[in-house]
Amino acid sequence: MKVLVVGGGGREHALAWKAAQSERVERVYVAPGNAGTAREPRLENVAIQSTDIHALARFAARRRIDLTIIGAEAPLVMGVVEVFAERGLRCLGPTRAAAQLEGSKIFAKDFLTRHAIPTAPYRTFTELDAALSALSAAEYPLVIKADGLAAGKGVLIAENRRQAAAALTDMLARKRYGAAGSRVLVEQFVRGEEVSFIALVDGKTILPMASSQDHKAAYDGDRGPNTGGMGAYSPAPIVNEAMHAQIMQRVMRPTVQGMAAEGMPYSGFLYAGLMIGDDGIPQVLEFNCRCGDPETQPIMLRLRSDLVAHCMAAVEGNLVSQRAHWDVRCALGVVMAADGYPGECRVGDWIHGLADSAVQQDDAAHKIFHAGTGIQDGKIVVSGGRVVCATACADNVHAAQQAAYQLAKQLSWQGCWYRADIGHRAIKRELAEQPVAAPLSSARVPASKVRFTDSLCC
Ligand code: GLY
């Protein structure tokens, strides 16, 4: 089989790396890929941008690609699945109509309300005057969101009326996010613990992936500006069996059934960004119509079953035949960023340490997933904001954190930085549950002792 993975980030490196491990796969193409995917065995980069959906379809037809996996949301919202379908090509992802769950935040909130799926109260506006008038009666903080895709930047938390007015003026009057901000959503802020719940869906059946947690704030202690995600781990301890069942019952099943009932059956990866408050109810913050980045990196490090088999079954409407197997250990990924990220960042610097043996080890428990990397004069250089994700698997989150940071320390470039506390919430839980006499161990578990857990279709 030949597989095409579309995108060039850490998520796509992880998906392509895992797809290449499938016994049925002879080659995985990555468009456009990065320096990491260029170096992997059985992977080959293709110089096509992920939003050039017609060029992607022509390539897939010419090379007789059996399965295309779309990494990021933009091509899905543009209708890549339909463009592939016109040529009879298998492409995993929702149709353009179903991708509105991510492409329009107002569509998603209205959908959630129609189907009584828990989410924060909200109002929508297209006129600045009406939006400003509504602020006097509001409770703060408020969340102000541009309706459309804004490269992860169209969400602001306003602590008071002045900040809310500035954000609304920026979107509705100054058109800071262009057409994406011509409609805005004003939503009540929800407190709690954030969880990423990602599943494969085939229109009716749901195959949950392992749970995970992201760290969106730039700096330690969850402070600073929002980023695409500075690190993640899997599983998320807050998603115990009871919470998993609740998420499936209150969020995932009603969403998949609701989309089918409204004539937009959902197929592909569905990512629910959830907030679990003190009442223990999972509230939907947002939907994404793709896997998370960087959540995918630790999730793929834990996946022991055949990703390609799962994805093929999803495209063919046969997910019910699948069962995903997970390494029971925890995986944790630390995103290493370029100087200036999440703003304008410094690129072109040579990345040192990639050839070191500790970084090269590919023992299913350690992996450097590349994102913003390129090749210049035969050297691997920084080419984007989130550069690599140092990912490791171990017995518990604390041990996985230590292993991931050990991996990260092998690499350096001018202005390289990363958070020092990825996993802090889960580690606090581990410490609270751990007797003092049995400190958290970073010892590696021999491969023969690795146990697995399953996720079943629902
Ligand atoms: N890590 C957040 C996202 O992928 O949207």
Side-chain angles (χ1 to χ4, degrees), residues 13 34 42 89 97 165 221 254 283 374 398 404 415:
H13 187 179
N34 54 41
R42 294 161 80 193
L89 295 164
Q283 303 251 5
H398 182 249

Side-chain angles (χ1 to χ4, degrees), residues 4-29:
L4 170 64
V5 173
V6 174
R11 164 185 50 210
E12 290 80 17
H13 187 179
L15 290 169
W17 168 80
K18 184 47 73 179
Q21 291 172 15
S22 169
E23 277 177 9
R24 60 178 86 185
V25 170
E26 72 196 60
R27 194 127 205 96
V28 179
Y29 297 94

Side-chain angles (χ1 to χ4, degrees), residues 432-454:
E433 286 161 13
Q434 193 84 1
V436 178
L440 295 170
S441 157
S442 61
R444 293 232 197 117
V445 178
S448 59
K449 295 243 174 77
V450 170
R451 289 179 297 120
F452 302 105
T453 178
D454 286 0

Side-chain angles (χ1 to χ4, degrees), residues 190-343:
V190 186
R191 290 183 201 282
E193 192 166 335
E194 216 172 315
V195 162
S196 304
F197 196 93
I198 302 168
L200 255 177
V201 180
D202 71 356
K204 48 192 186 306
T205 302
I206 304 167
L207 179 65
M209 300 285 104
S211 63
S212 57
Q213 255 170 330
D214 186 13
H215 299 63
K216 293 216 173 71
Y219 309 133
D220 288 3
D222 297 321
R223 289 175 300 111
N226 242 9
T227 68
M230 295 304 295
Y233 53 88
S234 169
I238 194 172
V239 185
N240 56 21
E241 220 169 289
M243 181 56 69
H244 190 281
Q246 203 186 158
I247 293 170
M248 290 303 294
Q249 188 209 325
R250 285 181 182 251
V251 177
M252 301 305 279
R253 275 191 219 109
T255 300
V256 172
Q257 286 163 4
M259 290 298 282
E262 294 194 14
M264 295 172 276
Y266 192 98
S267 181
F269 286 106
L270 176 62
Y271 164 164
L274 305 170
M275 188 66 89
I276 300 169
D278 289 341
D279 59 2
I281 296 174
Q283 303 251 5
V284 178
L285 297 178
E286 62 176 9
F287 282 121
N288 295 310
C289 57
R290 38 120 187 133
C291 287
D293 190 343
E295 294 95 320
T296 305
Q297 291 85 316
I299 290 175
M300 286 300 124
L301 202 63
R302 291 187 61 219
L303 182 63
R304 290 288 172 265
S305 47
D306 187 336
L307 174 70
V308 172
H310 301 328
C311 293
M312 280 295 264
V315 173
E316 289 172 349
N318 187 29
L319 256 188
V320 77
S321 64
Q322 299 294 300
R323 176 184 282 240
H325 304 292
W326 303 97
D327 189 325
V328 286
R329 293 177 302 168
C330 305
L332 182 143
V334 176
V335 169
M336 303 177 70
D339 193 16
Y341 181 77

Side-chain angles (χ1 to χ4, degrees), residues 109 118-125 134-145 155-160 185-192 275 283-286:
K109 289 292 274 194
T119 193
Y122 68 103
R123 291 184 65 183
T124 62
F125 298 96
L135 294 183
S136 52
E139 272 176 48
Y140 293 89
L142 275 182
V143 187
I144 317 264
K145 296 179 175 175
V155 178
L156 292 122
I157 296 169
E159 298 291 344
N160 51 46
L185 185 75
V186 178
E187 183 179 72
Q188 203 58 57
F189 182 81
V190 186
R191 290 183 201 282
M275 188 66 89
Q283 303 251 5
V284 178
L285 297 178
E286 62 176 9

Side-chain angles (χ1 to χ4, degrees), residues 167-178:
L168 288 166
T169 307
D170 238 17
M171 287 184 197
L172 288 170
R174 298 205 188 97
K175 308 281 179 213
R176 177 160 181 189
Y177 304 107

